[in-house]
Amino acid sequence: MQPPAGSPGPGAAAGAELLRWQWREVQAPCLVAAWILVASLAKIVFHLSRKVTSIVPESCLLILLGLGLGGIVLAVAKKAEYQLEPNMFFLFLLPPIVLDSGYFMPSRLFFNNIGAILTYAVVGTLWNSFATGAALWGLHRAGLMADPGVEAGLMDFLLFGSLISAVDPVAVLAVFEEVHVNETLFIIVFGESLLNDAVTVVLYKVFNSFVELGPAHIRATDYVKGVASFFLVSLGGTAVGLLFAFLLALITRFTKRVRIIEPLFVFLLAYVAYLAAEMVSLSSILAVTFCGICCKKYVEANISQKSRTTVKYTMKTLASSSETIIFMFLGISAVDTSKWAWDTALVLGTLFFILLFRAVGVVLQTYVLNRFRLIPLDRIDQVVMSYGGLRGAVAFALVILLDRDKVKAKDYFVATTIVVVFFTVIVQPCTLSPSQSFPCLLLPFQGLTIKPLVKWLKVKRSDHHKPTLNEELHEHAFDHILAAVEDIVGHHGYHYWRDKWEQFDKKYLSQLLMRKSAYRLRDEIWDVYYKLNIRDAISFVDQGGHVLSAAKLALPSMPSRTSMSESSVTNLLRESGSGACLDLQVIDTVRSRRDKEDAAMHHVLRGSLYKPRRRYKASYSRHFISPDKQERQDKEIFRQNMKRRLETFKSTKHNICSSKSKARLKEKGRKKKNISLTSDAHNGKTHRNVPWQEAAPVLVMISSEEEESDSSETEREDDEGIVFVARATDEVLQGKTTAGSLDVCPSPCIIPPSPTLAEKELPWKGDQADLAVYISSETTKIVPVDMKKAWNQSISSLESIASPPGIESGPQHRRFACPVLEEQSQSASQAMPEQSSCFQFPSHISKSGRSQSDSSPDGTEQQELQPLMATEDQGRMLPSTEPKWLMFNRASHL
Amino acid sequence: TIFTPEQLDAYQDCTFFTRKEILRLFYRYRDLAPQLVPLDYTDKPDVTLPYELIGSMPELKDNPFRQRIAEVFSEDGDGNMTLDDFLDMFSVLSEMAPRDLKAYYAFKIYDFNNDDYICKSDLEKTVNKLTRNELTPEEVSLVCDKVIYEADVDNDGKLSLEDFQHMIVRAPDFLSTFHIRI
């Protein structure tokens, strides 16, 4: 993509100018953008007609387009302007494709077939290049190459053989993905194309240096060096990849608070791995491939759902556009006849030999491999494999890189390479692809007259059946069983090593590289279950669960509501002011039948009402993506539907998230206790009379940090993608609103902490521990575990004798933990003495304390959540003060 | 000589192995407990490797299925292995063994309470073993329900051998992996 030298520049302007023509400045990026645009538009055009793309692979069309464009450019500019530059190819175009293929490589399949892949990649490539090179040299010696321009010795031909014989990952991927052969076949051909890079690079370099040295000066040690460098290059490249995979996984473990740049790390580190390997002339393709394969498990576990999607799509986009550009430029480059020098014998000989030797190599290796393979590769597989040895842009870039002074026959080699690439990419896929006939222009080639190979040979295609839980389960069980049997017999086979690796991974690597929260989440069986459930849910909603929910919205006290649409329910909620109205029931403390009815109603309401549409502050944040309103509402509708459906199905679907988050938060709480807050708590208790400022600064620091981590923890939940729950929806809802409200939503959480099924009668009878755990991030922060215990005890005693002192600790601590209060230390310190003196009447104290914090102008949203929690907790404990509380509460909200 | 030709023939008939493989497996067997297994089997000594010996192997320490395998393949059902049991086990796992036989033994491994059905409690045991008790009981129960729901053709809430085979046949890759090459 060399920008043309004499492009239209700015016209000479005299004096001051209003606008200036600045083509020169933007020329290079502009051309790049233009080319990408052209290629992408071309793709759209190709796919307009389904018929064309089903017959002709896209890569062929792109090459043909490139030929056309190149022809146009040649005709206009009288010289070939653009072509595939090796540097650009290796530094920018190749890495995305390789990263994409490595990252999305089905790793189990890959490692299951690693033996075969390595054999084909190493032995096969060595065989191909030596045999092709030697055979061409023989042809030359026999005097069959008529053109005297072909001055080449054995080394030149070996060099050419090395670059022409490597199967190209770009071409293989482009073609085989469209053909859909079965998985094993695909992984073998594709894995080979990736892993043979090391061999190609080494052979190319060794022969290149031999050619430069001249055959006379090569000593025996050089050969040894060549062999040694093979191991160095391949193992070194792999090591670089593994190192960066480790780094990447480790980094993503700590990106909890910078979710937005998570995808960046993935791309950046993989690219750095590529460059690092390239820098020390190790195999960069191997580096990126292994980086992708190895980091995936940990990265996927660590990053959020949205980041996962982003990584996926960005990777696919980059790879796809790289591929597009590569093929198009291959076409364009081919037009440049100044680099061509045609020798029929060389071209035909090369074509013949690469096909022949590939076939021979595949047959021989498969013969050996099948003795060791459980599922042998049959004849048809072998045919496809030998025919699927596609050459592509790598060969082209390498041949362009040759030095014309050293390699006299370079022009001939370039021409031959182009022909070979075109032949393999255009002709072979056309026969491979499942079309009935190929009517267009390439009829002369033998391949086209055959019916498409794959279809004709009835190659086992890949069947995309749905993954089932059974498969997952049995796969794991079989792994263990087979490993056990291998252990018993003392036979250290494949299962033995895999088992050992998995244990190692579980014990050390995953512990090190995954977040605590993600670690448990990654249990595959549960994962599959989760995915299946979500799929079921989505399909259900697609079938129109929407209507059902509205129709089923029957409220006992409002008979007319049954037919009410969602929007009117929302209106109803709006009319009644803030959402706190739902909580009015909490006021009553006398247990009566009416209360029970109310409680039931309360449950029904909370279960079936849609949350009111909120007004969000128009906010823009570069660092957080806030789910927009529509999305929220959709999610909510979705959740409601799911709930209803699952209730009707009665298939014991259960709350997925809450249990998880519960566990996670509990763990959090425990950890906290261990770190700091235990001591803080004691401080809080023992130094009650000490002026607050003394203890405050330290506490504030710690808790603010913890709060941050906590809130991002809840945000993580928020990022979990579609969360559906069958029961106790609101916990999750609440978690969401809490997270969202931290930076977006000014209004407080409306719905009170919901009861679990465990509490049968009244909402306010919930066990406090649970509430404290998952009410909101703040509460968790506030109440360390030991405090919670004390609290619980006091509450249980409260129920009988209603003795207040235990409550004291709650609010006080909360105040300690609240970072915002630092600014109000003045006022708070005034409140403090009072507090410690009238210890017995915590409600008043906390009220006064609260009134200060609430009415303070800079009280933030976090705080607004907090009082709500507090009121509810306290309201339950001290019913007599409740009405005031609630009023107060509402006032602060409104 | 370890075996008489008649013994070898009998073993050959009962298993999917050749003589050479049988001898190799015998040595493997003997390696487990050289002090217990005599080198002369011609007089059919009554040798049994106790389960403790197998279960205490360091390699097996972390394997959740070690006891179950020994139990299923041992004749007395307690995990004590004779040479015949040992050969049987590998015979089932050899490539020559037919798919139905493999499915049958896989089924038996899952069927913890030996009632010829994989019921929910069996599955829960399996899942717990596989996940090393990392899932909560609720989650395990959900997963098991789903597994049964997926594979239960006759809707009786438990998986019979037919259900199991049907499921295995639907996913052809499965039993092809249930192999060990000695």
Side-chain angles (χ1 to χ4, degrees):
Chain A
M1 212 187 282
Q2 189 79 34
S7 55
E17 46 195 343
L18 209 56
L19 290 170
R20 199 154 41 136
W21 182 247
Q22 291 189 322
W23 169 246
R24 243 175 236 291
E25 281 83 349
V26 298
Q27 186 186 35
C30 194
L31 281 175
V32 173
W35 279 118
I36 297 177
L37 186 67
V38 168
S40 310
L41 287 177
K43 268 195 165 186
I44 297 180
V45 173
F46 295 154
H47 284 277
L48 281 182
S49 158
R50 185 171 283 278
K51 200 171 177 189
V52 171
T53 42
S54 72
I55 294 171
V56 191
E58 204 182 81
S59 47
C60 304
L61 290 172
L62 282 168
I63 286 188
L64 295 178
L65 172 77
L67 278 174
L69 284 177
I72 294 171
V73 171
L74 191 68
V76 170
K78 301 290 184 233
K79 58 173 183 164
E81 295 276 16
Y82 311 99
Q83 59 160 305
L84 197 65
E85 295 290 322
N87 251 339
M88 189 187 70
F89 173 73
F90 282 117
L91 288 184
F92 301 113
L93 293 179
L94 193 54
I97 298 175
V98 179
L99 175 64
D100 173 68
S101 51
Y103 193 79
F104 294 106
M105 175 95 71
S107 54
R108 191 185 162 96
L109 206 59
F110 179 77
F111 286 111
N112 277 352
N113 294 297
I114 187 87
I117 292 172
L118 276 178
T119 315
Y120 287 118
V122 177
V123 181
T125 311
L126 282 176
W127 153 259
N128 278 346
S129 40
F130 278 104
T132 311
L136 285 174
W137 182 64
L139 210 62
H140 184 248
R141 293 284 295 212
L144 284 173
M145 288 177 200
D147 199 318
V150 191
E151 306 171 27
L154 177 60
M155 279 305 154
D156 299 84
F157 278 116
L158 283 180
L159 176 61
F160 179 63
S162 75
L163 67 86
I164 201 73
S165 59
V167 177
D168 180 70
V170 184
V172 166
L173 203 62
V175 169
F176 270 68
E177 280 204 334
E178 291 191 31
V179 173
H180 298 300
V181 292
N182 65 44
E183 292 166 327
T184 318
L185 200 54
F186 176 76
I187 205 78
I188 287 178
V189 177
F190 179 52
E192 176 202 345
S193 72
L194 280 175
L195 298 193
N196 69 15
D197 172 66
V199 182
T200 314
V201 166
V202 171
L203 282 181
Y204 180 79
K205 279 185 185 147
V206 167
F207 288 134
N208 210 0
S209 60
F210 283 1
V211 167
E212 283 175 9
L213 278 173
H217 308 286
I218 303 169
R219 279 167 300 180
T221 49
D222 292 328
Y223 294 106
V224 179
K225 275 186 199 163
V227 175
S229 78
F230 164 69
F231 288 102
L232 194 66
V233 165
S234 53
L235 296 180
T238 312
V240 169
L242 293 182
L243 177 72
F244 276 91
F246 182 82
L247 277 181
L248 177 53
L250 202 62
I251 287 179
T252 50
R253 198 187 156 175
F254 301 106
T255 50
K256 189 155 64 178
R257 295 173 212 176
V258 281
R259 289 275 181 221
I260 209 84
I261 57 168
E262 267 172 350
L264 186 66
F265 281 120
V266 178
F267 294 106
L268 213 56
L269 275 169
Y271 191 52
V272 172
Y274 185 91
L275 294 181
E278 191 79 51
M279 194 168 61
V280 286
S281 71
L282 298 174
S283 166
S284 43
I285 293 189
L286 276 184
V288 174
T289 307
F290 277 96
C291 183
I293 291 179
C294 298
C295 75
K296 188 184 183 192
K297 180 181 171 191
Y298 310 105
V299 169
E300 295 269 287
N302 283 337
I303 62 179
S304 68
Q305 175 74 37
K306 280 171 189 160
S307 301
R308 248 173 271 166
T309 314
T310 313
V311 167
K312 186 176 164 190
Y313 277 92
T314 318
M315 221 174 249
K316 292 279 176 211
T317 310
L318 285 178
S320 164
S321 43
S322 293
E323 192 186 277
T324 310
I325 292 175
I326 287 173
F327 281 120
M328 199 174 70
F329 270 82
L330 268 181
I332 293 179
S333 311
V335 178
D336 186 4
T337 45
S338 65
K339 292 202 169 108
W340 280 58
W342 183 271
D343 183 89
T344 315
L346 181 65
V347 170
L348 289 183
T350 311
L351 270 182
F352 176 71
F353 286 134
I354 60 167
L355 289 176
L356 174 71
F357 291 132
R358 169 94 187 160
V360 172
V362 164
V363 170
L364 287 181
Q365 291 174 74
T366 315
Y367 178 74
V368 177
L369 279 173
N370 272 349
R371 298 170 149 259
F372 301 101
R373 284 182 66 83
L374 278 176
I375 313 154
L377 295 161
D378 56 16
R379 224 163 267 283
I380 292 166
D381 289 342
Q382 292 176 34
V383 171
V384 174
M385 276 173 63
S386 41
Y387 211 64
L390 304 171
R391 273 66 166 182
V394 173
F396 181 77
L398 285 176
V399 83
I400 294 283
L401 274 179
L402 288 178
D403 188 349
R404 193 189 304 264
D405 299 332
K406 301 277 167 42
V407 186
K408 303 279 189 313
K410 184 189 171 187
D411 290 350
Y412 294 95
F413 289 157
V414 172
T416 312
T417 309
I418 289 177
V419 172
V420 167
V421 169
F422 278 28
F423 179 83
T424 56
V425 176
I426 297 181
V427 180
Q428 292 190 357
C430 290
T431 46
L432 278 174
S433 73
S435 56
Q436 290 301 323
S437 61
F438 188 71
C440 70
L441 51 147
L442 293 155
L443 279 172
F445 294 107
Q446 46 98 21
L448 300 173
T449 53
I450 318 170
K451 262 188 168 186
L453 204 60
V454 172
K455 187 156 187 170
W456 183 62
L457 289 175
K458 299 195 183 66
V459 176
K460 221 169 85 188
R461 301 295 202 79
S462 65
D463 45 344
H464 292 285
H465 61 92
K466 297 177 197 161
T468 62
L469 208 54
N470 273 296
E471 287 184 21
E472 189 69 25
L473 192 75
H474 300 316
E475 196 180 286
H476 280 265
F478 283 3
D479 280 355
H480 283 299
I481 291 167
L482 292 175
V485 174
E486 282 194 356
D487 280 339
I488 290 176
V489 79
H491 168 81
H492 291 189
Y494 176 65
H495 300 286
Y496 173 81
W497 289 113
R498 180 163 65 202
D499 197 53
K500 287 284 160 290
W501 163 254
E502 267 170 14
Q503 280 172 26
F504 173 75
D505 175 71
K506 203 147 196 155
K507 267 189 197 149
Y508 305 107
L509 270 186
S510 294
Q511 305 277 357
L512 183 65
L513 297 180
M514 281 190 200
R515 287 179 199 171
K516 284 259 162 6
S517 51
Y519 179 61
R520 197 174 152 280
L521 207 75
R522 288 308 293 173
D523 198 280
E524 286 104 338
I525 291 177
W526 185 251
D527 240 25
V528 172
Y529 174 75
Y530 191 70
K531 276 182 199 147
L532 283 175
N533 245 351
I534 285 183
R535 207 186 51 206
D536 285 357
I538 289 171
S539 69
F540 174 75
V541 172
D542 285 347
Q543 288 159 15
H546 205 110
V547 190
L548 180 79
S549 75
K552 272 204 159 188
L553 188 66
L555 303 179
S557 60
M558 307 175 221
S560 64
R561 291 279 145 67
T562 31
S563 57
M564 193 177 272
S565 72
E566 315 147 21
S567 60
S568 54
V569 175
T570 318
N571 285 337
L572 175 84
L573 274 179
R574 261 203 207 132
E575 283 160 17
S576 54
S578 86
C581 68
L582 284 181
D583 254 342
L584 282 174
Q585 282 85 359
V586 179
I587 303 167
D588 296 78
T589 51
V590 194
R591 287 219 219 144
S592 65
R593 211 182 322 136
R594 199 177 67 86
D595 282 333
K596 285 184 185 168
E597 276 168 21
D598 280 352
M601 161 99 171
H602 181 92
H603 283 300
V604 170
L605 264 180
R606 191 158 13 74
S608 46
L609 283 188
Y610 289 99
K611 280 201 306 175
R613 206 182 287 261
R614 293 223 191 76
R615 270 186 213 100
Y616 293 99
K617 208 190 278 174
S619 71
Y620 166 80
S621 165
R622 189 172 298 163
H623 306 291
F624 300 101
I625 304 168
S626 55
D628 60 271
K629 207 187 299 173
Q630 184 58 42
E631 196 180 330
R632 253 169 219 246
Q633 299 250 327
D634 286 349
K635 269 189 190 170
E636 194 186 333
I637 291 167
F638 177 69
R639 215 175 286 124
Q640 294 273 355
N641 286 334
M642 273 324 298
K643 183 181 167 187
R644 223 157 286 285
R645 181 226 177 175
L646 292 173
E647 271 168 5
T648 53
F649 272 61
K650 202 197 155 197
S651 59
T652 66
K653 310 282 168 165
H654 205 265
N655 185 341
I656 293 157
C657 272
S658 75
S659 60
K660 267 191 201 304
S661 66
K662 209 188 295 177
R664 217 173 291 149
L665 288 174
K666 259 179 194 159
E667 195 174 28
K668 197 93 196 160
R670 226 175 292 137
K671 206 171 73 186
K672 227 175 297 166
K673 176 180 133 192
N674 290 338
I675 307 169
S676 59
L677 276 183
T678 0
S679 56
D680 299 344
H682 290 312
N683 282 349
K685 265 179 189 163
T686 48
H687 303 290
R688 193 154 283 157
N689 289 327
V690 175
W692 188 48
Q693 285 90 337
E694 273 186 34
V698 186
L699 292 177
V700 165
M701 293 309 288
I702 292 166
S703 58
S704 72
E705 191 185 287
E706 220 131 75
E707 179 205 48
E708 246 180 74
S709 71
D710 254 348
S711 63
S712 43
E713 188 71 23
T714 29
E715 181 156 86
R716 230 191 67 79
E717 295 270 34
D718 192 41
D719 274 342
E720 217 84 288
I722 305 167
V723 183
F724 76 88
V725 286
R727 171 185 69 99
T729 343
D730 317 273
E731 284 146 28
V732 181
L733 272 184
Q734 207 160 26
K736 282 179 180 306
T737 42
T738 312
S741 67
L742 286 182
D743 56 337
V744 196
C745 163
S747 73
C749 209
I750 295 168
I751 300 170
S754 80
T756 55
L757 273 188
E759 44 172 328
K760 292 283 189 290
E761 297 181 15
L762 296 170
W764 52 89
K765 290 294 289 178
D767 61 329
Q768 299 292 324
D770 268 3
L771 282 178
V773 169
Y774 53 72
I775 283 170
S776 77
S777 55
E778 273 70 32
T779 329
T780 349
K781 170 204 70 190
I782 294 151
V783 190
V785 167
D786 55 342
M787 291 308 294
K788 228 168 2 188
K789 263 183 220 151
W791 202 1
N792 283 344
Q793 282 169 3
S794 62
I795 283 157
S796 56
S797 61
L798 259 180
E799 273 171 4
S800 51
I801 48 169
S803 71
I807 310 155
E808 164 69 29
S809 55
Q812 196 186 4
H813 248 278
R814 192 170 301 126
R815 200 158 301 111
F816 271 54
C818 182
V820 195
L821 276 179
E822 197 175 14
E823 297 152 31
Q824 314 161 355
S825 58
Q826 205 59 30
S827 56
S829 64
Q830 286 166 2
M832 278 309 277
E834 186 196 358
Q835 195 164 8
S836 48
S837 61
C838 37
F839 184 65
Q840 282 88 342
F841 306 101
S843 62
H844 295 292
I845 296 149
S846 40
K847 196 165 68 178
S848 63
R850 181 139 332 274
S851 68
Q852 278 172 1
S853 68
D854 273 349
S855 55
S856 69
D858 51 359
T860 58
E861 295 89 34
Q862 283 109 305
Q863 255 181 312
E864 281 187 334
L865 285 173
Q866 225 170 285
L868 184 70
M869 299 349 308
T871 46
E872 279 153 13
D873 292 345
Q874 296 203 334
R876 277 157 210 166
M877 291 172 268
L878 287 178
S880 57
T881 57
E882 191 54 39
K884 269 186 255 170
W885 268 101
L886 202 78
M887 274 165 55
F888 174 72
N889 225 356
R890 215 179 287 159
S892 76
H893 294 157
L894 293 178
Chain B
T1 57
I2 300 160
F3 300 112
T4 61
E6 291 78 35
Q7 275 179 315
L8 275 178
D9 281 341
Y11 279 132
Q12 251 181 311
D13 290 344
C14 296
T15 62
F16 297 97
F17 294 122
T18 62
R19 284 167 183 246
K20 241 168 98 184
E21 285 168 325
I22 290 170
L23 281 177
R24 230 163 67 209
L25 279 171
F26 170 75
Y27 286 120
R28 296 274 200 191
Y29 179 68
R30 192 172 175 276
D31 285 344
L32 288 176
Q35 71 280 13
L36 285 179
V37 184
L39 264 176
D40 183 14
Y41 250 67
T42 43
D43 54 349
K44 297 183 183 160
D46 185 27
V47 177
T48 307
L49 294 191
Y51 170 70
E52 290 75 41
L53 201 139
I54 295 168
S56 62
M57 286 169 69
E59 294 93 339
L60 280 174
K61 177 167 54 80
D62 291 323
N63 199 305
F65 285 96
R66 58 179 186 278
Q67 188 170 5
R68 190 60 205 157
I69 291 167
E71 279 170 13
V72 165
F73 286 102
S74 70
E75 215 166 307
D76 58 3
D78 290 331
N80 307 318
M81 303 278 271
T82 64
L83 178 63
D84 295 9
D85 296 335
F86 196 76
L87 286 177
D88 261 351
M89 177 162 84
F90 285 99
S91 179
V92 167
L93 291 174
S94 80
E95 294 156 66
M96 308 291 292
R99 163 180 291 215
D100 283 349
L101 187 71
K102 284 171 186 292
Y104 175 68
Y105 274 97
F107 180 80
K108 272 184 70 160
I109 289 176
Y110 285 121
D111 182 18
F112 282 89
N113 53 8
N114 297 322
D115 63 350
D116 292 330
Y117 286 102
I118 301 179
C119 51
K120 200 174 161 188
S121 66
D122 292 330
L123 275 177
E124 278 174 357
K125 267 188 191 158
T126 310
V127 172
N128 274 328
K129 275 174 188 292
L130 283 178
T131 57
R132 299 188 160 87
N133 296 319
E134 278 166 10
L135 297 181
T136 63
E138 287 166 3
E139 288 168 341
V140 170
S141 156
L142 287 177
V143 169
C144 294
D145 283 339
K146 183 88 182 171
V147 168
I148 292 180
Y149 174 78
E150 267 178 8
D152 189 12
V153 181
D154 49 11
N155 258 330
D156 56 358
K158 52 191 179 182
L159 304 184
S160 61
L161 182 61
E162 286 73 33
D163 291 333
F164 189 75
Q165 277 173 338
H166 181 253
M167 191 246 329
I168 289 282
V169 169
R170 258 195 320 182
D173 288 346
F174 269 142
L175 279 184
S176 64
T177 61
F178 205 52
H179 284 290
I180 280 187
R181 239 178 229 251
I182 296 300

